[in-house]
Amino acid sequence: MENALNKTPKISIVTVVLNDLEGLKKTIESVKSLNFTNYEYIVIDGGSDDQSLDFIKNEPTISKWLTEKDNGIYDAMNKGIKMSSGDYIHLLNAGDIYYSSNVFEDSYFLDGKDFLAWAVLKRGKRDIVWSPHKSRIYNSMRIAHPGLIVKRSYYINNELYSLDYSLISDSIFILKNVKENNSNLYQNILVEMDGSGVSTSLSWRNICERHTLINLYDLNYFMKFLLHIRTSIYFLQKIFWK
């Protein structure tokens, strides 16, 4: 009985990809390097027209895969969640990699918390480490989505990612669901993130959705106003001081 109770839960690692064969190869090599072995690896391809499908069909590391047109990245993530069979699910996008081969330890998964969150290293002109924490400014948990691992039963019994947005549904999911009492926060780095992802792109859709997200925070009007100003300044700097 004791051995059964201490058995390390299984992790489902889900990668969504669309026409990014080199990014997918990079991510798969990272998964292969893990010392942690109790995982399944699922790839959801959005109907790529490069050589991704041929590679996916012949890659033995991939436990399950699906290729078909979807309604965006969150639709693909939801499909991967539904296909998974692990106790916990980690959504690792194509191009992102695990920071090291020993990022997982058995003890992380044994206390039954719904959410486990690590720091994320974002590569760019200036490398940035996003560490999980409870923000007084935002009055919410601040977690980089690539650093979040979620118990599968929570996804299935509560909610998946909204298809109403193209770029912020992961942030909305964290805002609505991740609380101090149902999560563990770790300050070591889990993922090295590809800085060219759509969620960090400069576009009118990104700007509008970021402002929409601010309106969802449980804050007074003055604080929301200040955050709208700060977000506008951030995008203006990206436009004029690239």
Side-chain angles (χ1 to χ4, degrees), residues 32-143:
K32 287 181 180 179
S33 74
L34 289 174
N35 295 329
F36 187 95
T37 59
N38 193 19
Y39 68 83
E40 65 175 357
Y41 187 51
I42 300 170
V43 173
I44 306 298
D45 173 62
S48 296
D49 54 17
D50 59 5
Q51 300 301 311
S52 295
L53 182 56
D54 290 337
F55 175 77
I56 290 169
K57 288 179 178 179
N58 295 288
E59 173 50 58
T61 306
I62 299 173
S63 310
K64 305 172 186 175
W65 58 271
L66 175 68
T67 179
E68 62 182 18
K69 295 293 184 181
D70 53 49
N71 293 316
I73 188 171
Y74 298 113
D75 186 30
M77 288 179 177
N78 290 342
K79 291 177 181 180
I81 291 169
K82 292 174 183 177
M83 286 178 62
S84 68
S85 62
D87 302 286
Y88 283 90
I89 298 174
H90 186 211
L91 298 169
L92 184 69
N93 291 337
D96 294 350
I97 61 174
Y98 287 112
Y99 187 64
S100 71
S101 60
N102 60 352
V103 289
F104 293 135
E105 296 179 10
D106 293 356
S107 58
Y108 291 144
F109 305 97
L110 297 178
D111 70 356
K113 288 292 181 72
D114 292 320
F115 301 99
L116 309 175
W118 284 262
V120 170
L121 171 62
K122 178 187 174 185
R123 294 293 189 185
K125 292 182 179 179
R126 182 170 63 90
D127 292 348
I128 300 173
V129 175
W130 294 342
S131 297
H133 63 282
K134 172 66 181 292
S135 171
R136 294 182 179 179
I137 295 176
Y138 290 86
N139 191 31
S140 66
M141 305 299 291
R142 301 292 287 169
I143 296 169

Side-chain angles (χ1 to χ4, degrees), residues 186-202:
Y186 305 106
Q187 298 307 309
N188 44 314
I189 297 172
L190 178 66
V191 168
E192 183 177 322
M193 182 182 175
D194 182 0
S196 62
V198 293
S199 64
T200 59
S201 65
L202 182 61

Side-chain angles (χ1 to χ4, degrees), residues 5-50:
L5 290 174
N6 291 331
K7 183 180 179 182
T8 304
K10 177 182 176 182
I11 301 176
S12 296
I13 303 170
V14 178
T15 294
V16 300
V17 64
L18 177 63
N19 292 326
D20 186 11
L21 177 57
E22 293 308 311
L24 178 61
K25 289 180 178 179
K26 180 180 174 183
T27 300
I28 287 179
E29 287 304 312
S30 171
V31 172
K32 287 181 180 179
S33 74
L34 289 174
N35 295 329
F36 187 95
T37 59
N38 193 19
Y39 68 83
E40 65 175 357
Y41 187 51
I42 300 170
V43 173
I44 306 298
D45 173 62
S48 296
D49 54 17
D50 59 5

